Amino acid sequence: MTSPRHALPVAVLISGRGSNLQAIIDAVRAGALDVNICLVLSNRAEAQGLERARAAGIPTAVLTPATPADRAAYDRALRERIDASGARLIVLAGFMRVLTPEFVRHYDGRLINIHPSLLPAFTGLHTHRRALAAGVAEHGASVHFVTEELDGGPVILRARVAVLAGDDEHTLADRVHRVEHHILPLTIRWYAAGRLRKDGDRVRFDGRTLDAPLDLADLPADDGAA
Ligand code: GAR
């Protein structure tokens, strides 16, 4: 994928469908996101997202765990591969592995994740099912800086969706996915523009420390779409 030389090199880590990766690719193509996707890496060879990357001419890598239990060895290999790509921002876009503290510390402030819930609610897996079971009126997605605490790092931006009567796990997941495809490219755009950084356990955006995560619905129109 052709991008200007000065563009921020970004590695995207995936495990499956890659619809968030596609949203990033589409935003770059549309000229809305000035980054260079220098690597798409999957822990699963059959991840559909790898096809999306290849179709866009992006270098891909597959790193399957040789010894699934040895997280430290896997994460060392992962770090080598990412660092060799020259990436300066690492985006977890449906990368379904728990990362070691060493890995997370190495990329402190340069590692973001998209999670399918309004964090801090529903960390972990099966978030849509659990949101329905809990009877919440609102659900959504969050982009956050990654820390050693699983799904616990400072939240940058959230997008809400209403839970509708008759929703099942799939209808709700579809609506959440649609907002994910807005907030992930948008967050990357802010980061690439130098508007966003991690400051300890907090988020700094446009030079001020956030008291609460940003909300897609509250953004000015010129910030609302990537
Ligand atoms: C997304 O819904 C993302 O939020 C979720 O995986 C999905 C990947 O979809 N991530 C997590 O659950 C991480 N804890 P995609 O492959 O179509 O982008």
Side-chain angles (χ1 to χ4, degrees):
M1 167 174 267
T2 49
S3 290
R5 268 166 206 268
H6 65 269
L8 181 80
V10 176
V12 182
L13 275 51
I14 61 166
S15 295
R17 192 166 67 137
S19 68
N20 279 287
L21 166 67
Q22 189 67 57
I24 300 167
I25 293 170
D26 292 347
V28 173
R29 278 213 180 110
L33 182 58
D34 187 17
V35 300
N36 171 29
I37 309 171
C38 58
L39 174 68
V40 169
L41 184 145
S42 172
N43 61 325
R44 294 175 58 241
E46 63 276 26
Q48 192 195 335
L50 288 168
E51 283 308 317
R52 299 177 189 269
R54 288 181 196 122
I58 299 166
T60 60
V62 176
L63 196 57
T64 45
T67 320
D70 192 348
R71 291 190 182 280
Y74 184 90
D75 283 8
R76 275 196 301 275
L78 185 60
R79 176 175 151 176
E80 271 174 28
R81 192 65 193 75
I82 291 170
D83 287 349
S85 79
R88 285 175 40 222
L89 173 68
I90 296 85
V91 176
L92 306 180
F95 189 63
M96 304 305 279
R97 280 186 65 89
V98 175
L99 297 162
T100 55
E102 291 72 22
F103 181 93
V104 171
R105 276 199 297 271
H106 177 69
Y107 294 110
D108 185 35
R110 298 191 289 140
L111 182 58
I112 62 173
N113 178 47
I114 181 131
H115 183 77
S117 77
L118 294 172
L119 289 172
F122 306 118
T123 60
L125 298 175
H126 309 300
T127 57
H128 311 304
R129 190 187 310 168
R130 287 160 56 213
L132 287 169
V136 293
E138 278 188 325
H139 186 44
S142 309
V143 182
H144 66 96
F145 283 112
V146 176
T147 63
E148 293 173 35
E149 189 189 341
L150 183 69
D151 300 327
V155 180
I156 303 160
L157 174 62
R158 300 191 300 187
R160 298 165 192 280
V161 303
V163 178
L164 305 178
D167 259 340
D168 61 25
E169 208 178 322
H170 302 290
T171 57
L172 186 55
D174 277 353
R175 264 196 331 284
V176 171
H177 257 112
R178 281 204 285 277
V179 296
E180 291 190 354
H181 301 161
H182 275 198
I183 65 175
L184 187 56
L186 181 57
T187 307
I188 297 169
R189 187 174 91 187
W190 289 340
Y191 188 94
R195 297 176 64 182
L196 185 66
R197 68 180 175 85
K198 178 173 175 285
D199 185 10
D201 288 338
R202 312 290 292 275
V203 174
R204 280 184 76 79
F205 180 67
D206 284 349
R208 70 184 176 90
T209 301
L210 300 184
D211 296 325
L214 298 163
D215 190 313
L216 184 67
D218 297 336
L219 297 177
D222 58 342
D223 255 336

